[in-house]
C-alpha cells in the first residue's frame, strides 16, 4: 500500500533535516519507493505493514537518528481525496485567509471536540471529521489568537498542513482530490 507520513517537528524550531537524509532514513527501514514532498516532513512510501506499527517504527527510528521526537501521522494516500474534499467550510474558504488540516492519531473524544470548538471565534473556526480537524482562519496565522499549544491541549498531539499543500501532495502521488 502507498502511504504518506506527515511528520511533526521537521524543519521547524531548529530541527533541520535535508530531504535526501530523510529519504535515506525511511529507506533504512526497508520502505519502498520513498519520496519526499516539500521540506516540511511529508514522505510517501510503499509498505505492506499497517499504519499503527509503521508509525511506531518510524518514530523510534527517527528519534534514534535525529536525537529528538518526531511524531508521525500516517495515512494511505487513497484517503487524501476524502480528507481534501471534506470541505467543512466550503462556502467560507474562498474569503478566508487560510484553511489548514490537522492530523491526529485517533478520533478525538467528545470532550476534546468540545474543547477545540471552544477555541472558535469570529477570526478562527474549527471542525472535526474523523482523525482530522479543519482550521479556517479569517486572518493571518501570525495574527490569530489561537496557538498550536492551545490546540494540542484541546485535542492532542497533531501536525498541520495547509489545504493548498495537501492538494499539491495529492496531485504528486496521482490521486484525484
Amino acid at each position: 500500500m502507498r502511504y504518506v507520513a506527515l511528520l511533526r517537528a521537521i524543519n521547524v524550531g531548529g530541527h533541520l533535516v535535508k530531504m535526501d537524509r530523510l529519504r535515506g532514513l525511511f529507506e533504512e527501514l526497508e520502505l519502498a519507493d520513498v519520496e519526499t514532498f516539500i521540506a516540511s516532513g511529508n514522505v510517501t512510501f510503499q509498505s505492506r505493514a499497517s499504519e499503527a506499527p509503521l508509525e511506531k517504527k518510524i518514530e523510534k527510528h527517527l528519534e534514534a537518528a535525529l536525537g529528538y521526537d518526531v511524531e508521525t501521522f500516517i495515512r494511505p494516500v487513497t484517503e487524501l481525496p476524502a480528507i481534501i474534499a471534506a470541505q467543512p467550510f466550503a462556502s467560507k474558504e474562498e474569503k478566508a485567509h487560510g484553511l489548514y488540516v490537522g492530523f491526529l492519531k485517533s478520533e478525538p473524544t467528545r470532550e476534546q471536540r468540545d474543547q477545540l470548538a471552544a477555541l472558535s471565534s469570529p477570526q478562527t473556526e474549527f471542525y472535526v471529521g474523523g482523525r482530522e480537524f479543519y482550521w479556517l482562519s479569517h486572518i493571518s496565522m501570525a495574527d490569530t489568537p489561537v496557538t498550536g499549544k492551545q490546540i494540542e491541549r484541546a485535542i492532542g498531539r497533531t501536525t498541520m498542513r495547509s489545504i493548498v499543500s495537501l492538494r499539491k501532495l495529492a496531485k504528486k502521488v496521482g490521486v484525484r482530490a
Side-chain angles (χ1 to χ4, degrees):
M1 176 171 288
R2 187 126 187 99
Y3 290 105
V4 60
L6 301 140
L7 307 176
R8 184 177 190 278
I10 292 291
N11 293 339
V12 294
H15 295 137
L16 302 177
V17 181
K18 292 186 182 269
M19 293 302 98
D20 59 341
R21 179 163 188 228
L22 188 57
R23 276 190 303 278
L25 292 171
F26 272 68
E27 289 167 349
E28 288 173 7
L29 293 170
E30 298 181 1
L31 301 171
D33 300 321
V34 177
E35 294 182 58
T36 56
F37 177 73
I38 61 177
S40 61
N42 305 297
V43 183
T44 60
F45 60 92
Q46 297 272 9
S47 178
R48 292 183 183 178
S50 60
E51 292 171 47
L54 276 171
E55 285 175 342
K56 288 178 183 155
K57 183 177 179 179
I58 292 167
E59 287 171 345
K60 184 177 177 183
H61 186 66
L62 292 178
E63 184 173 14
L66 301 174
Y68 62 91
D69 179 43
V70 180
E71 196 132 6
T72 303
F73 302 83
I74 293 182
R75 301 294 189 273
V77 297
T78 54
E79 287 185 13
L80 288 176
I83 292 167
I84 294 165
Q87 297 297 332
F89 305 108
S91 64
K92 300 176 183 180
E93 183 184 347
E94 206 170 282
K95 295 178 185 176
H97 195 273
L99 175 60
Y100 300 85
V101 179
F103 294 86
L104 305 165
K105 295 273 188 178
S106 59
E107 287 192 36
T109 65
R110 170 51 75 194
E111 180 181 349
Q112 289 172 313
R113 289 172 186 255
D114 292 345
Q115 289 176 1
L116 185 65
L119 296 175
S120 292
S121 72
Q123 296 91 13
T124 188
E125 299 177 62
F126 294 94
Y127 172 83
V128 177
R131 296 184 298 158
E132 291 78 37
F133 69 91
Y134 298 79
W135 180 8
L136 184 72
S137 181
H138 297 284
I139 59 177
S140 164
M141 293 303 280
D143 296 329
T144 183
V146 178
T147 67
K149 286 184 182 189
Q150 289 174 304
I151 291 170
E152 288 194 344
R153 272 195 298 263
I155 204 161
R157 299 276 284 186
T158 183
T159 191
M160 287 183 266
R161 301 294 185 272
S162 75
I163 197 72
V164 173
S165 293
L166 289 175
R167 287 177 181 140
K168 289 178 182 178
L169 177 60
K171 184 176 180 181
K172 179 182 173 29
V173 296
V175 294
R176 186 171 283 216

